[in-house]
């Protein structure tokens, strides 16, 4: 069974609190999401393999360490997942970026696919799938299925806030995918929004409401 990693570092929790506040505007919301994404990226990449790398410092030669050849891809679920890409790219500048476009139908709450563009060698890469909100889990599950259809075997899901229902759905449907979140909230409301949550992440990032 896949693991759920709740990254409860005090700096992440502090920044998340400001993001949750309804008076926080888009500029601050975006900046905080970027900062948290970089910090969460440390945990998501914690077990990435290192290899020996001989170098010379100004003092003497040494065998240093560097990240070994394993290749990464960051794949945001549009739109809100885009808000997590820049922070991750500042940690992993060589990562490739793919995009999966999904939106939740307002009445059925079911995801609808409208875009998919991935690196050609996506099946050889460790994929970090990003979306700030894991609500019913429908969008994440469909995005993971799309990645698997294209041959991806190594997928990690990185979200900011999750509902217990979404965590359960991903763990049941995709038991091989580890989930990284900053918080698991109480529940979903009747509109399938996370409670207490932070509202509509896409609208808050892009100022569309
Ligand atoms: C939000 C969010 C997730 C999805 C989560 O996107 O960013 O993708 O809902 O809900 P689920 O777990 O119930 O599927 P939304 O559909 O609002 O699209 P947007 O990012 O374009 O605003
Ligand atoms: N999508 C969001 O942006 N927020 C929620 O609480 C649920 C789905």
């Amino acid at each position: 069974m896949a693991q759920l990693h709740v990254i409860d570092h005090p700096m992440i929790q502090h920044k998340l609190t400001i993001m949750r506040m309804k008076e926080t505007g888009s500029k601050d919301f975006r900046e905080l999401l970027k900062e948290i994404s970089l910090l969460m990226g440390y945990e998501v990449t914690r077990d990435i393999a290192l290899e020996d790398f001989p170098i010379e410092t100004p003092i003497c030669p040494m065998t240093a360490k560097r990240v070994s050849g394993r290749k990464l891809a960051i794949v945001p679920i549009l739109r809100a997942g885009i808000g997590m890409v820049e922070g991750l790219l500042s940690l992993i500048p060589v990562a490739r970026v793919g995009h999966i476009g999904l939106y939740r139908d307002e009445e059925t709450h079911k995801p609808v696919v409208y875009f998919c563009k991935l690196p050609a060698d996506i099946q050889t890469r460790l994929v970090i799938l990003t979306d700030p909100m894991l609500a019913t889990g429908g969008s994440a599950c469909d995005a993971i299925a799309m990645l698997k259809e294209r041959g991806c075997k190594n997928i990690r899901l990185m979200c900011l806030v999750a509902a217990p229902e979404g965590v359960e759905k991903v763990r049941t449907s995709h038991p091989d995918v580890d989930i990284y979140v900053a918080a698991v909230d109480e529940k979903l409301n009747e509109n399938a929004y996370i409670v207490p949550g932070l509202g509509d992440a896409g609208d808050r990032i892009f100022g569309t409401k």
Side-chain angles (χ1 to χ4, degrees):
M1 174 63 87
Q3 282 191 39
L4 171 67
H5 306 258
V6 181
I7 307 173
D8 58 358
H9 190 287
M11 294 314 301
I12 294 179
Q13 295 306 313
H14 179 87
K15 290 174 192 294
L16 174 57
T17 297
I18 302 171
M19 291 184 72
R20 288 184 189 274
M21 291 162 56
K22 64 179 181 192
E23 58 270 38
T24 299
S26 287
K27 178 174 179 289
D28 289 339
F29 192 91
R30 275 195 303 271
E31 281 176 9
L32 289 160
L33 182 57
K34 177 182 160 189
E35 290 167 15
I36 292 179
S37 302
L38 190 155
L39 296 172
M40 289 184 74
Y42 279 98
E43 284 304 317
V44 178
T45 56
R46 173 174 283 283
D47 61 351
I48 286 204
L50 292 173
E51 63 185 12
D52 288 345
F53 185 53
I55 60 166
E56 282 188 34
T57 76
I59 310 296
C60 66
M62 73 169 284
T63 304
K65 299 281 182 198
R66 69 173 180 185
V67 172
S68 71
R70 196 166 181 203
K71 297 182 291 182
L72 269 105
I74 302 164
V75 178
I77 300 178
L78 308 182
R79 295 174 298 166
I82 292 176
M84 304 179 93
V85 173
E86 209 183 323
L88 281 176
L89 273 178
S90 51
L91 186 67
I92 322 157
V94 296
R96 298 293 165 90
V97 182
H99 296 86
I100 292 179
L102 287 174
Y103 70 88
R104 287 200 321 180
D105 181 276
E106 281 183 10
E107 275 167 24
T108 64
H109 306 139
K110 295 264 185 300
V112 181
V113 181
Y114 62 88
F115 189 75
C116 182
K117 180 77 182 171
L118 300 169
D121 60 354
I122 189 77
Q123 71 284 353
T124 67
R125 293 176 179 268
L126 165 63
V127 177
I128 304 176
L129 180 66
T130 67
D131 193 331
M133 309 308 279
L134 181 61
T136 64
S139 303
C141 282
D142 282 12
I144 293 167
M146 289 167 73
L147 291 167
K148 288 183 174 175
E149 277 164 24
R150 287 157 181 82
C152 298
K153 290 175 194 66
N154 212 333
I155 304 167
R156 296 177 184 186
L157 174 64
M158 178 173 141
C159 303
L160 187 61
V161 180
E165 294 89 333
V167 172
E168 180 61 25
K169 184 171 169 71
V170 174
R171 294 188 87 186
T172 310
S173 308
H174 299 287
D176 55 316
V177 175
D178 276 9
I179 308 168
Y180 296 78
V181 297
V184 179
D185 278 7
E186 200 185 315
K187 60 178 182 183
L188 293 175
N189 69 13
E190 60 285 1
N191 295 318
Y193 271 78
I194 300 173
V195 179
L198 48 71
D200 188 304
D203 284 341
R204 294 196 67 184
I205 292 169
F206 297 109
T208 40
K209 214 164 234 174

